[in-house]
Amino acid sequence: MATSRSSSMPVYFVSHGGPNLLDDHEYPPTEPIAKGLRAIGDEIRALQPRGMVVVSGHWEAGASSLQVNGKSPLPLPLIYDFYGFPDAYYKQQFPHHVDPQLTRQVVEQVTKSGIDIEAVDRGLDHGAWVVLKKAGLADAPFPIAQLSLFHSDSMDAHLRLGEALAPLRDQGIVIVGSGMAVHNLRDLFGPGGSRSGGVRPYVEPFDKEIERAVLAPPAERRQAVAALADSQLLRQAHPTLEHLMPIHVAVGAAGQSQSVTKMLEAYQLSLSWSCYRFA
């Protein structure tokens, strides 16, 4: 793996969107979403990490067990886990490195926390590769391992998962949670849904609830993020919770990090693209 700086690596939460994020006409490089994601990618490259562990809302393992890819030294084909898009998106590539040593580090660290985890061979799903490609991290010099979520809506379990990963930061590993700050596709594509009508009324208020929780003082941050479970807007913003859980993993991994920066804020219909850095 590549050499790293001796300081602890930051943690990121990114909002990843669909494969059309890669369309420069729909998401121009000079506009806030693409520009913000590229700034995150440039920052990660400049850190010269030894590796990256990414958790995506598109991979859930067991209710109390996990999986991590990279068991073998060569990347497997990408997973095109999206439907109804033009053929060109199913031909996209994301060249990247895999290192079984990084996978073993993840397994060792998670196992220390008493969590059952298995190393497997699996490609990156679009919750990982699409946003990393938009961020300019194709052919990055460091290996990338993808870790599953639990198949569970437990915010506490995912906070504890992040806490289990936190020591990797001192080993030169960047941790990235990839989800969406607000993710309600039913309001776009479901019965009665529409791709018009402007930003839905719950999007900004729930995004601001996340912001207040994430920017809370370190001693209060964990409880504040766990309390999102009681938000009256939760099931409007997230009819299912798998795209929210990566922010709990990120907050858990951030621990007592003093510096939290909202690196992107953008609203689109029933989505929020907010992204954060914890350092």
Side-chain angles (χ1 to χ4, degrees):
M1 290 188 287
T3 58
S4 69
R5 300 176 181 179
S6 58
S7 59
S8 182
M9 290 288 122
V11 178
Y12 295 86
F13 170 77
V14 296
S15 291
H16 64 239
N20 53 319
L21 176 64
L22 300 176
D23 185 339
D24 286 343
H25 296 288
E26 192 169 349
Y27 294 95
T30 56
E31 294 297 319
I33 293 172
K35 192 174 180 179
L37 291 172
R38 185 57 187 245
I40 292 170
D42 289 347
E43 184 173 288
I44 290 173
R45 278 189 181 269
L47 290 167
Q48 297 183 303
R50 292 181 60 239
M52 172 188 289
V53 175
V54 57
V55 178
S56 155
H58 289 273
W59 187 14
E60 297 174 296
S64 59
S65 62
L66 300 170
Q67 294 180 322
V68 59
N69 79 346
K71 182 178 179 180
S72 300
L74 295 177
L76 269 70
L78 300 178
I79 298 173
Y80 301 95
D81 51 338
F82 43 83
Y83 309 95
F85 286 88
D87 289 346
Y89 291 117
Y90 301 92
K91 298 175 183 177
Q92 288 279 345
Q93 296 299 314
F94 177 69
H96 65 285
H97 299 287
V98 172
D99 188 343
Q101 180 183 341
L102 174 59
T103 297
R104 288 192 293 270
Q105 281 181 267
V106 174
V107 169
E108 179 181 349
Q109 200 60 59
V110 170
T111 300
K112 285 180 181 178
S113 295
I115 299 171
D116 185 21
I117 182 171
E118 174 190 14
V120 299
D121 285 322
R122 179 187 188 272
L124 299 178
D125 60 54
H126 88 267
W129 67 264
V130 166
V131 69
L132 295 180
K133 184 169 185 175
K134 192 68 170 183
L137 291 173
D139 282 319
F142 49 82
I144 298 171
Q146 184 174 355
L147 175 65
S148 73
L149 298 172
F150 295 112
H151 187 59
S152 166
D153 287 346
S154 170
M155 295 183 182
D156 184 67
H158 287 95
L159 284 160
R160 286 187 281 109
L161 170 56
E163 290 161 355
L165 296 173
L168 293 172
R169 298 174 61 195
D170 294 328
Q171 300 172 37
I173 308 302
V174 169
I175 298 169
V176 178
S178 176
M180 289 294 288
V182 175
H183 183 258
N184 186 333
L185 297 187
R186 296 178 187 177
D187 271 1
L188 294 181
F189 306 116
S194 172
R195 298 198 69 181
S196 62
V199 175
R200 306 304 192 257
Y202 52 81
V203 172
E204 183 174 1
F206 188 75
D207 185 77
K208 292 302 180 182
E209 288 187 29
I210 293 176
E211 180 180 312
R212 288 190 292 272
V214 166
L215 297 180
E220 302 171 16
R221 185 185 303 135
R222 190 189 197 281
Q223 181 55 41
V225 172
L228 291 171
D230 300 322
S231 170
Q232 294 184 353
L233 297 174
L234 175 63
R235 290 296 180 170
Q236 287 181 277
H238 289 274
T240 59
L241 300 188
E242 74 285 338
H243 278 70
L244 183 62
M245 291 303 158
I247 203 164
H248 293 78
V249 176
V251 167
Q256 296 299 303
S257 294
Q258 297 290 324
S259 174
V260 183
T261 303
K262 192 173 192 180
M263 299 191 72
L264 171 61
E265 179 180 288
Y267 306 134
Q268 183 183 41
L269 300 174
S270 60
L271 306 172
S272 166
W273 288 85
S274 291
C275 300
Y276 293 90
R277 177 187 63 228
F278 305 82

PDB file of all heavy atoms in Angstrom, residues 29 31-41 135 263-264 275:
ATOM      1  N   PRO A  29     -19.289  20.096 -14.114  1.00  0.00           N
ATOM      2  CA  PRO A  29     -18.158  20.206 -13.180  1.00  0.00           C
ATOM      3  C   PRO A  29     -18.086  21.530 -12.443  1.00  0.00           C
ATOM      4  O   PRO A  29     -17.507  21.609 -11.358  1.00  0.00           O
ATOM      5  CB  PRO A  29     -16.936  20.011 -14.090  1.00  0.00           C
ATOM      6  CG  PRO A  29     -17.442  19.231 -15.252  1.00  0.00           C
ATOM      7  CD  PRO A  29     -18.858  19.689 -15.463  1.00  0.00           C
ATOM      8  N   GLU A  31     -20.745  23.239 -11.368  1.00  0.00           N
ATOM      9  CA  GLU A  31     -21.897  23.422 -10.497  1.00  0.00           C
ATOM     10  C   GLU A  31     -21.630  22.817  -9.109  1.00  0.00           C
ATOM     11  O   GLU A  31     -20.738  21.974  -8.945  1.00  0.00           O
ATOM     12  CB  GLU A  31     -23.135  22.795 -11.130  1.00  0.00           C
ATOM     13  CG  GLU A  31     -23.589  23.482 -12.411  1.00  0.00           C
ATOM     14  CD  GLU A  31     -24.007  24.923 -12.183  1.00  0.00           C
ATOM     15  OE1 GLU A  31     -24.671  25.202 -11.162  1.00  0.00           O
ATOM     16  OE2 GLU A  31     -23.673  25.781 -13.022  1.00  0.00           O
ATOM     17  N   PRO A  32     -22.405  23.220  -8.075  1.00  0.00           N
ATOM     18  CA  PRO A  32     -22.055  22.870  -6.688  1.00  0.00           C
ATOM     19  C   PRO A  32     -21.882  21.382  -6.406  1.00  0.00           C
ATOM     20  O   PRO A  32     -20.947  20.994  -5.694  1.00  0.00           O
ATOM     21  CB  PRO A  32     -23.211  23.461  -5.880  1.00  0.00           C
ATOM     22  CG  PRO A  32     -23.685  24.619  -6.694  1.00  0.00           C
ATOM     23  CD  PRO A  32     -23.527  24.184  -8.126  1.00  0.00           C
ATOM     24  N   ILE A  33     -22.752  20.504  -6.929  1.00  0.00           N
ATOM     25  CA  ILE A  33     -22.667  19.085  -6.564  1.00  0.00           C
ATOM     26  C   ILE A  33     -21.369  18.485  -7.086  1.00  0.00           C
ATOM     27  O   ILE A  33     -20.579  17.906  -6.329  1.00  0.00           O
ATOM     28  CB  ILE A  33     -23.899  18.313  -7.069  1.00  0.00           C
ATOM     29  CG1 ILE A  33     -25.152  18.779  -6.318  1.00  0.00           C
ATOM     30  CG2 ILE A  33     -23.699  16.805  -6.896  1.00  0.00           C
ATOM     31  CD1 ILE A  33     -26.454  18.230  -6.870  1.00  0.00           C
ATOM     32  N   ALA A  34     -21.133  18.618  -8.385  1.00  0.00           N
ATOM     33  CA  ALA A  34     -19.912  18.054  -8.963  1.00  0.00           C
ATOM     34  C   ALA A  34     -18.668  18.735  -8.397  1.00  0.00           C
ATOM     35  O   ALA A  34     -17.666  18.070  -8.097  1.00  0.00           O
ATOM     36  CB  ALA A  34     -19.945  18.188 -10.479  1.00  0.00           C
ATOM     37  N   LYS A  35     -18.738  20.027  -8.243  1.00  0.00           N
ATOM     38  CA  LYS A  35     -17.585  20.778  -7.732  1.00  0.00           C
ATOM     39  C   LYS A  35     -17.262  20.377  -6.295  1.00  0.00           C
ATOM     40  O   LYS A  35     -16.097  20.202  -5.924  1.00  0.00           O
ATOM     41  CB  LYS A  35     -17.889  22.275  -7.815  1.00  0.00           C
ATOM     42  CG  LYS A  35     -16.700  23.173  -7.592  1.00  0.00           C
ATOM     43  CD  LYS A  35     -17.097  24.629  -7.839  1.00  0.00           C
ATOM     44  CE  LYS A  35     -15.923  25.569  -7.633  1.00  0.00           C
ATOM     45  NZ  LYS A  35     -16.313  26.986  -7.893  1.00  0.00           N
ATOM     46  N   GLY A  36     -18.307  20.199  -5.483  1.00  0.00           N
ATOM     47  CA  GLY A  36     -18.090  19.815  -4.092  1.00  0.00           C
ATOM     48  C   GLY A  36     -17.511  18.423  -3.970  1.00  0.00           C
ATOM     49  O   GLY A  36     -16.600  18.176  -3.158  1.00  0.00           O
ATOM     50  N   LEU A  37     -18.014  17.479  -4.775  1.00  0.00           N
ATOM     51  CA  LEU A  37     -17.493  16.113  -4.718  1.00  0.00           C
ATOM     52  C   LEU A  37     -16.051  16.066  -5.212  1.00  0.00           C
ATOM     53  O   LEU A  37     -15.218  15.334  -4.653  1.00  0.00           O
ATOM     54  CB  LEU A  37     -18.380  15.181  -5.532  1.00  0.00           C
ATOM     55  CG  LEU A  37     -19.777  14.942  -4.953  1.00  0.00           C
ATOM     56  CD1 LEU A  37     -20.636  14.155  -5.933  1.00  0.00           C
ATOM     57  CD2 LEU A  37     -19.709  14.221  -3.608  1.00  0.00           C
ATOM     58  N   ARG A  38     -15.741  16.841  -6.235  1.00  0.00           N
ATOM     59  CA  ARG A  38     -14.369  16.855  -6.730  1.00  0.00           C
ATOM     60  C   ARG A  38     -13.415  17.442  -5.686  1.00  0.00           C
ATOM     61  O   ARG A  38     -12.281  16.977  -5.537  1.00  0.00           O
ATOM     62  CB  ARG A  38     -14.285  17.648  -8.031  1.00  0.00           C
ATOM     63  CG  ARG A  38     -12.899  17.613  -8.676  1.00  0.00           C
ATOM     64  CD  ARG A  38     -12.449  16.181  -8.952  1.00  0.00           C
ATOM     65  NE  ARG A  38     -11.083  16.113  -9.405  1.00  0.00           N
ATOM     66  CZ  ARG A  38     -10.727  15.703 -10.628  1.00  0.00           C
ATOM     67  NH1 ARG A  38     -11.666  15.349 -11.515  1.00  0.00           N
ATOM     68  NH2 ARG A  38      -9.466  15.651 -10.968  1.00  0.00           N
ATOM     69  N   ALA A  39     -13.880  18.442  -4.941  1.00  0.00           N
ATOM     70  CA  ALA A  39     -13.043  19.011  -3.884  1.00  0.00           C
ATOM     71  C   ALA A  39     -12.727  17.965  -2.822  1.00  0.00           C
ATOM     72  O   ALA A  39     -11.604  17.907  -2.298  1.00  0.00           O
ATOM     73  CB  ALA A  39     -13.745  20.221  -3.259  1.00  0.00           C
ATOM     74  N   ILE A  40     -13.710  17.114  -2.506  1.00  0.00           N
ATOM     75  CA  ILE A  40     -13.468  16.041  -1.544  1.00  0.00           C
ATOM     76  C   ILE A  40     -12.445  15.057  -2.098  1.00  0.00           C
ATOM     77  O   ILE A  40     -11.509  14.639  -1.397  1.00  0.00           O
ATOM     78  CB  ILE A  40     -14.793  15.332  -1.197  1.00  0.00           C
ATOM     79  CG1 ILE A  40     -15.697  16.278  -0.400  1.00  0.00           C
ATOM     80  CG2 ILE A  40     -14.534  14.042  -0.417  1.00  0.00           C
ATOM     81  CD1 ILE A  40     -17.112  15.760  -0.205  1.00  0.00           C
ATOM     82  N   GLY A  41     -12.600  14.674  -3.366  1.00  0.00           N
ATOM     83  CA  GLY A  41     -11.649  13.761  -3.967  1.00  0.00           C
ATOM     84  C   GLY A  41     -10.246  14.325  -4.011  1.00  0.00           C
ATOM     85  O   GLY A  41      -9.262  13.623  -3.706  1.00  0.00           O
ATOM     86  N   ALA A 135     -15.701  12.086  -7.927  1.00  0.00           N
ATOM     87  CA  ALA A 135     -14.752  12.814  -7.083  1.00  0.00           C
ATOM     88  C   ALA A 135     -13.336  12.804  -7.645  1.00  0.00           C
ATOM     89  O   ALA A 135     -12.437  13.410  -7.063  1.00  0.00           O
ATOM     90  CB  ALA A 135     -14.756  12.223  -5.674  1.00  0.00           C
ATOM     91  N   MET A 263     -19.177  20.117   3.715  1.00  0.00           N
ATOM     92  CA  MET A 263     -18.436  20.411   2.497  1.00  0.00           C
ATOM     93  C   MET A 263     -19.331  20.620   1.281  1.00  0.00           C
ATOM     94  O   MET A 263     -18.879  21.123   0.260  1.00  0.00           O
ATOM     95  CB  MET A 263     -17.426  19.301   2.227  1.00  0.00           C
ATOM     96  CG  MET A 263     -16.402  19.149   3.334  1.00  0.00           C
ATOM     97  SD  MET A 263     -15.039  18.057   2.884  1.00  0.00           S
ATOM     98  CE  MET A 263     -14.149  19.074   1.709  1.00  0.00           C
ATOM     99  N   LEU A 264     -20.573  20.217   1.388  1.00  0.00           N
ATOM    100  CA  LEU A 264     -21.510  20.397   0.275  1.00  0.00           C
ATOM    101  C   LEU A 264     -22.916  20.451   0.827  1.00  0.00           C
ATOM    102  O   LEU A 264     -23.278  19.657   1.699  1.00  0.00           O
ATOM    103  CB  LEU A 264     -21.382  19.224  -0.718  1.00  0.00           C
ATOM    104  CG  LEU A 264     -22.439  19.134  -1.835  1.00  0.00           C
ATOM    105  CD1 LEU A 264     -22.406  20.368  -2.722  1.00  0.00           C
ATOM    106  CD2 LEU A 264     -22.227  17.872  -2.665  1.00  0.00           C
ATOM    107  N   CYS A 275     -22.691  16.727   2.325  1.00  0.00           N
ATOM    108  CA  CYS A 275     -21.477  15.953   2.582  1.00  0.00           C
ATOM    109  C   CYS A 275     -20.722  16.594   3.742  1.00  0.00           C
ATOM    110  O   CYS A 275     -20.750  17.820   3.887  1.00  0.00           O
ATOM    111  CB  CYS A 275     -20.575  15.909   1.354  1.00  0.00           C
ATOM    112  SG  CYS A 275     -21.285  15.164  -0.120  1.00  0.00           S
TER     113      CYS A 275
END
